[in-house]
Amino acid sequence: MNVKILHVINNFSLTSIPVEMANLMGKTEHVDIMSLYDSNVSANKIAHQIAPNCKKIIGYDFRNHPIKARNKIKNDISVGEYDIIQVHHTISGAIASSLMYKKSNTKIVITVHGNYDSYTIKQNLITGYTFLHCDGIIANSKTTLDSIWNWQKRFINRKYKKTIYNGINVNRIQAAPSEPCDLLCNQYNIKDDEYIFAQVGRLETVKNPLGTLRAFGLFVKKNSGLNTKLVFVGDGSQRRNIEEYIHENEFLTNRVVLTGMLKRDDVYSFMRRINTLVVPSMYEGFCNALFEAMAMGVGLIVSDIPVFLELIPESDEIKRIIPSDPKTIANAMQQVTKENRNSDSRTKLMKFARDKYDTSICVQNYLNTYRHICSMV
């Protein structure tokens, strides 16, 4: 059974996992992408780079033209005759699902991909509203599904619920070229003999980048003779606070690098140079960067939070830390620079990540779930 799918997103970006998933589904199914906030021109300009398998790209520029966009969405949904409309638990999902609800026989599926305890009251209200208009819910971990607030669960008690773990594109990771890594190392003066810690992802409070930075500061003070750098790959609201902390602690000036946003293939390329990835998140739904790094054999320091207990096997190669305590992160940094890595354990973790979380498994699970939801009366 083939399904015709519409993915609704906020906007296109070079690192968008939902767009990557839509593109992979487009290899076997008819998939269109609707961008609520991009203009049609800007959406199509970037889409050909990251979503070549998708049939149609539509931008609505909703912020600047809400009435025109609303009317066009309704018309496009009617004409499209989609089996599945995939939305996400953001304001774009709330807008799109409410406009599409009961307009046809189309089934609306919402993906939830973050811990609800980390969201603001406004964000939780928006998600609860979106739940009203969906036919099925897909969560990226059991922890994510369990974190939905009790009042929100009342809206989905009788609706189809499924946990599908996120996927990592193993083929793309392995095929990433070396040149971007070489360019980044030259640009930021990263030497071959330096031990590189890195945090990859959004620089937001929930990801705890300041915790990593403070811990690195403690670590450097104890190991001033060690050639080491901390690299932040990504961007977000905490960047200014990170820069201010570095300015206040001048001994970190030449030891901390902020690359900003990078193309996904450039991230994969640079991961080959990372010795240890630090994931000190306060909350997570899944964390693709962690499993991408694991699949490449990178060392790991991770938060001792429920979702990682669910997703990650026990291993001496993985140091678990209390994310709210920089001293425990610094101690873990100390351990990984002193210990010799176990090649057998490293290989087992690489195989675990590639076998369990490969994108092909995730895509197939999504398509099977779509077909099941479409068959529901």
Side-chain angles (χ1 to χ4, degrees):
M1 173 186 174
N2 291 104
V3 286
K4 188 175 182 181
I5 305 162
L6 173 66
H7 269 257
V8 182
I9 62 172
N10 283 343
N11 54 271
F12 280 93
S13 75
L14 294 174
T15 60
S16 173
I17 292 172
V19 173
E20 183 177 33
M21 292 293 295
N23 183 57
L24 291 170
M25 291 180 191
K27 289 183 177 181
T28 59
E29 309 295 326
H30 180 117
V31 180
D32 295 341
I33 302 181
M34 171 192 293
S35 171
L36 215 65
Y37 298 139
D38 286 310
S39 69
N40 202 49
V41 173
S42 62
N44 279 276
K45 185 176 181 179
I46 190 173
H48 77 277
Q49 300 178 52
I50 56 179
N53 296 323
C54 295
K55 302 296 184 185
K56 189 176 182 181
I57 307 299
I58 317 166
Y60 290 100
D61 200 9
F62 195 93
R63 284 196 180 97
N64 294 321
H65 305 286
I67 296 176
K68 181 180 178 181
R70 184 187 63 188
N71 294 334
K72 192 171 189 309
I73 289 170
K74 289 182 177 180
N75 179 70
D76 288 347
I77 294 301
S78 177
V79 173
E81 296 183 342
Y82 297 102
D83 299 302
I84 290 287
I85 298 175
Q86 174 76 64
V87 302
H88 302 277
H89 63 160
T90 58
I91 193 162
S92 65
I95 292 170
S97 60
S98 63
L99 290 175
M100 301 165 189
Y101 184 59
K102 297 304 182 186
K103 301 300 181 183
S104 66
N105 293 324
T106 301
K107 302 290 187 179
I108 298 173
V109 177
I110 176 174
T111 53
V112 292
H113 50 258
N115 192 298
Y116 282 76
D117 291 331
S118 70
Y119 295 143
T120 64
I121 293 175
K122 179 181 178 181
Q123 288 172 318
N124 275 291
L125 287 172
I126 290 169
T127 303
Y129 178 76
T130 311
F131 283 162
L132 284 171
H133 302 109
C134 72
D135 299 284
I137 299 95
I138 299 176
N140 63 356
S141 68
K142 293 176 183 176
T143 302
T144 295
L145 198 59
D146 291 342
S147 74
I148 296 173
W149 290 11
N150 287 333
W151 68 266
Q152 294 167 327
K153 289 179 180 177
R154 294 178 182 177
F155 300 143
I156 58 175
N157 280 339
R158 297 183 179 180
K159 295 181 179 180
Y160 183 80
K161 294 177 282 291
K162 178 80 173 179
T163 295
I164 300 177
Y165 294 133
N166 281 5
I168 58 171
N169 196 328
V170 174
N171 289 336
R172 189 172 175 182
I173 289 169
Q174 293 176 314
S178 60
E179 288 82 4
C181 180
D182 296 337
L183 291 172
L184 285 165
C185 288
N186 288 333
Q187 180 179 352
Y188 295 109
N189 196 30
I190 296 172
K191 306 297 185 184
D192 291 341
D193 63 344
E194 287 181 315
Y195 192 102
I196 302 301
F197 293 98
Q199 183 166 341
V200 177
R202 295 178 296 118
L203 300 183
E204 301 295 344
T205 303
V206 69
K207 300 287 187 178
N208 196 24
L210 279 177
T212 300
L213 183 59
R214 293 188 180 105
F216 185 69
L218 295 174
F219 170 76
V220 168
K221 285 180 179 179
K222 288 186 177 181
N223 301 272
S224 57
L226 180 67
N227 290 327
T228 182
K229 277 189 172 74
L230 170 63
V231 182
F232 288 102
V233 178
D235 216 336
S237 64
Q238 290 296 300
R239 180 172 183 134
R240 176 177 290 185
N241 292 334
I242 291 170
E243 291 171 337
E244 288 178 355
Y245 189 89
I246 296 169
H247 180 73
E248 293 167 1
N249 297 272
E250 293 185 0
F251 70 97
L252 292 174
T253 300
N254 295 320
R255 291 183 178 265
V256 181
V257 172
L258 293 97
T259 69
M261 296 295 291
L262 298 177
K263 295 179 180 179
R264 187 171 295 278
D265 290 324
D266 291 356
V267 175
Y268 295 153
S269 179
F270 183 69
M271 275 188 175
R272 294 199 181 101
R273 179 61 187 85
I274 298 170
N275 296 100
T276 297
L277 182 77
V278 186
V279 188
S281 305
M282 297 296 187
Y283 299 98
E284 281 286 355
F286 183 83
C287 190
N288 275 56
L290 190 160
F291 293 99
E292 290 164 346
M294 186 187 293
M296 298 179 75
V298 177
L300 296 169
I301 295 174
V302 304
S303 295
D304 191 8
I305 55 177
V307 69
F308 293 152
L309 295 176
E310 173 189 344
L311 299 173
I312 302 173
E314 287 295 327
S315 172
D316 292 338
E317 291 292 295
I318 301 173
K319 306 301 180 187
R320 298 184 187 265
I321 50 89
I322 302 170
S324 60
D325 184 3
K327 290 182 180 179
T328 70
I329 306 174
N331 289 339
M333 290 177 170
Q334 182 80 30
Q335 291 178 44
V336 298
T337 56
K338 298 295 184 184
E339 296 175 354
N340 292 320
R341 297 198 61 191
N342 185 305
S343 59
D344 289 341
S345 296
R346 174 181 172 181
T347 301
K348 286 180 181 178
L349 287 175
M350 291 172 66
K351 187 176 188 305
F352 172 83
R354 294 179 181 189
D355 290 350
K356 187 174 179 64
Y357 298 116
D358 187 270
T359 301
S360 61
I361 300 170
C362 179
V363 167
Q364 193 57 55
N365 284 337
Y366 261 90
L367 293 177
N368 290 342
T369 301
Y370 288 161
R371 293 178 186 117
H372 178 78
I373 291 174
C374 285
S375 70
M376 293 167 56
V377 178

